[in-house]
Amino acid sequence: MYTKKIEEDLNCGLRIGFKIFGGKWKMCILDAINNGFTRPAEIYRSMPDATLRVIEMQLAELLYFGVVDKYSEDVYPKKTEYRLTNLGKSILPILSQIDKWGTEHSAFVKERLQELDEVQ
Amino acid sequence: MYTKKIEEDLNCGLRIGFKIFGGKWKMCILDAINNGFTRPAEIYRSMPDATLRVIEMQLAELLYFGVVDKYSEDVYPKKTEYRLTNLGKSILPILSQIDKWGTEHSAFVKERLQELDEVQ
DNA sequence: GCAATAACCGATAAAAGATTCGGTATTCAT
DNA sequence: ATGAATACCGAATCTTTTATCGGTTATTGC
């Protein structure tokens, strides 16, 4: 994590929300955890487009902001589980709403993106 | 707009949603339009932390993805209005949910951010 | 004519964010 | 003891996004 050079206005709920779960993979990670993929390696396997490193980094931020909790057991295979806190769970409805919206409009969006590709 | 070098998986509704309204200012702009600030200069005055340039750029993207429509009148003062399309309006419930979430948890988030600042 | 306002665009700089790569440490199975 | 799996972390690098700046065009009021 690092501090930004340009200070942010966090007077707007929208900006705060994005601050917490607006990263490229954060929502996907929360979704994965919610679907039972609670360990880093599991999350990674469930979304191989992200690297393990980025998953670790985002988990660290989610942990910092109290969205997830971390439980480590010293057994083999080394077991670390990340679970949603109540704060994390409170994000789930938003998550599913965005997912629903995106799924509903995916055809349209993809069409537009394809146009862009054809131009370049 | 530019094409990415790293290809995106848009199989996930979440990613699609973020693609369309996940920019730093996009949701704020949609919110501003919804609150009656329909012209670029008005939007800018309603959220001076963003530059006019970035508002223009984001409006162009929102226009491209059919989230807003653009209406120009050749009168003085030069009048351009951006209005939400049905697609744009369909985002509003998500918007207000995120805003509500962010507002509810703003104290907690700010506290955490302050901690980070103190360290550095 | 000149300042002010509006909309907008291109180029480039800067910042933010993500990726890559190599490393540590642990434990188990062979 | 070697290899595989897990969880991490640091640093450099690259990509993406946002900011800055200067410019254009057009119209009105002075």
Side-chain angles (χ1 to χ4, degrees):
Chain A
M1 274 185 281
Y2 49 72
T3 47
K4 302 199 178 191
K5 293 195 178 174
I6 297 175
E7 204 164 329
E8 299 181 275
D9 65 320
L10 292 173
N11 303 317
C12 167
L14 290 170
R15 304 297 313 282
I16 293 172
F18 268 79
K19 180 82 199 161
I20 304 308
F21 51 77
K24 181 168 180 183
W25 301 106
K26 284 212 188 96
M27 283 217 161
C28 299
I29 291 173
L30 294 181
D31 189 48
I33 294 177
N34 187 232
N35 286 315
F37 303 102
T38 60
R39 301 171 58 193
E42 281 176 351
I43 296 171
Y44 174 53
R45 279 190 295 266
S46 80
M47 39 186 279
D49 283 322
T51 62
L52 188 52
R53 183 71 179 111
V54 95
I55 291 170
E56 286 163 4
M57 287 189 300
Q58 308 267 40
L59 280 172
E61 279 191 44
L62 292 169
L63 186 64
Y64 184 79
F65 283 106
V67 176
V68 299
D69 269 339
K70 181 178 171 180
Y71 301 90
S72 290
E73 270 181 79
D74 258 349
V75 294
Y76 179 81
K78 192 171 183 174
K79 198 164 185 171
T80 304
E81 280 192 292
Y82 289 87
R83 296 180 203 147
L84 299 175
T85 59
N86 285 334
L87 184 63
K89 284 175 192 161
S90 73
I91 299 171
L92 293 177
I94 296 173
L95 212 122
S96 67
Q97 233 188 318
I98 297 177
D99 188 53
K100 186 163 168 279
W101 188 94
T103 303
E104 271 168 15
H105 301 97
S106 72
F108 179 69
V109 170
K110 282 178 185 169
E111 202 179 286
R112 286 271 136 144
L113 287 173
Q114 217 170 337
E115 276 175 45
L116 278 183
D117 284 342
E118 278 160 18
V119 175
Q120 259 120 19
Chain B
M1 271 184 284
Y2 88 26
T3 46
K4 301 198 180 194
K5 294 193 179 174
I6 296 175
E7 205 166 330
E8 301 181 275
D9 65 320
L10 292 173
N11 303 317
C12 168
L14 290 169
R15 304 297 314 279
I16 293 172
F18 269 79
K19 178 83 199 161
I20 303 308
F21 51 79
K24 180 169 180 181
W25 301 106
K26 284 213 188 97
M27 283 214 161
C28 299
I29 292 172
L30 294 180
D31 189 48
I33 295 176
N34 187 234
N35 287 316
F37 303 102
T38 60
R39 300 172 56 193
E42 281 177 350
I43 296 171
Y44 174 52
R45 280 191 294 266
S46 81
M47 39 187 278
D49 282 324
T51 62
L52 189 53
R53 183 74 179 111
V54 95
I55 291 169
E56 287 163 5
M57 288 190 298
Q58 308 266 40
L59 279 172
E61 278 190 45
L62 292 169
L63 186 63
Y64 184 81
F65 283 108
V67 176
V68 298
D69 269 341
K70 180 179 174 180
Y71 301 90
S72 291
E73 269 182 80
D74 257 348
V75 294
Y76 179 80
K78 192 170 183 175
K79 197 163 184 170
T80 304
E81 281 192 292
Y82 290 86
R83 295 181 204 146
L84 298 175
T85 60
N86 285 334
L87 184 64
K89 286 174 191 161
S90 73
I91 299 171
L92 292 177
I94 296 173
L95 210 122
S96 66
Q97 231 188 320
I98 296 177
D99 188 53
K100 185 163 169 281
W101 188 95
T103 303
E104 273 168 14
H105 301 96
S106 71
F108 180 69
V109 170
K110 283 178 184 169
E111 202 180 287
R112 285 272 134 146
L113 287 172
Q114 219 171 336
E115 275 176 47
L116 277 183
D117 284 343
E118 277 160 20
V119 176
Q120 259 124 17

